[in-house]
Amino acid sequence: MDEALRAVADPTRRAILLLVRDGEVAAGDLARHFPGISRPAVSQHLRVLTSAGLLGVRRDGNRRLYRLRREGLSEAARFIQDMWDDRLDRLKHAAELEEREQGGS
């Protein structure tokens, strides 16, 4: 989970994930979306995302096709959801307590 969260902390990597969320995209096509970044830098971002388990890669001749691995985010998503649910449970409890206190007056 830590590696996935570190990987998505970078805005370029988040943008890459958005580009591949609906299907495979070739590395060269991904690089064209980032004209201000060198191809080697984009390749490094792809390696970080792949190493974190967030991207799958498939070779097609001399091309590399990248796709989102949603399961790579599942542990981090569960953690965030648990944190959110906990806050909602606390809010619900506080609201119910306030309602009881107001109803009992």
Side-chain angles (χ1 to χ4, degrees):
M1 174 178 64
D2 292 343
E3 194 174 3
L5 290 173
R6 276 191 294 277
V8 298
D10 183 278
T12 300
R13 294 183 196 135
R14 288 193 305 271
I16 290 170
L17 291 175
L18 290 172
L19 290 169
V20 299
R21 71 179 165 191
D22 295 326
E24 291 182 324
V25 181
D29 293 337
L30 289 169
R32 280 190 275 284
H33 281 88
F34 305 97
I37 301 175
S38 69
R39 283 186 181 242
V42 172
S43 291
Q44 179 61 32
H45 285 299
L46 293 170
R47 277 192 294 279
V48 169
L49 289 166
T50 302
S51 174
L54 302 177
L55 288 182
V57 61
R58 178 176 68 87
R59 289 186 150 249
D60 180 30
N62 64 346
R63 298 183 329 151
R64 290 180 184 260
L65 300 170
Y66 291 88
R67 69 187 177 288
L68 179 64
R69 290 188 68 251
R70 293 183 196 286
E71 61 272 18
L73 288 169
S74 62
E75 188 179 356
R78 275 193 307 276
F79 172 76
I80 292 167
Q81 187 64 45
D82 288 346
M83 297 296 289
W84 182 250
D85 288 346
D86 178 61
R87 298 303 298 166
L88 289 176
D89 288 344
R90 288 179 185 214
L91 179 62
K92 178 183 175 195
H93 178 72
E96 289 170 347
L97 183 62
E98 184 177 323
E99 186 175 302
R100 280 194 301 266
E101 287 173 354
Q102 289 177 355
S105 306

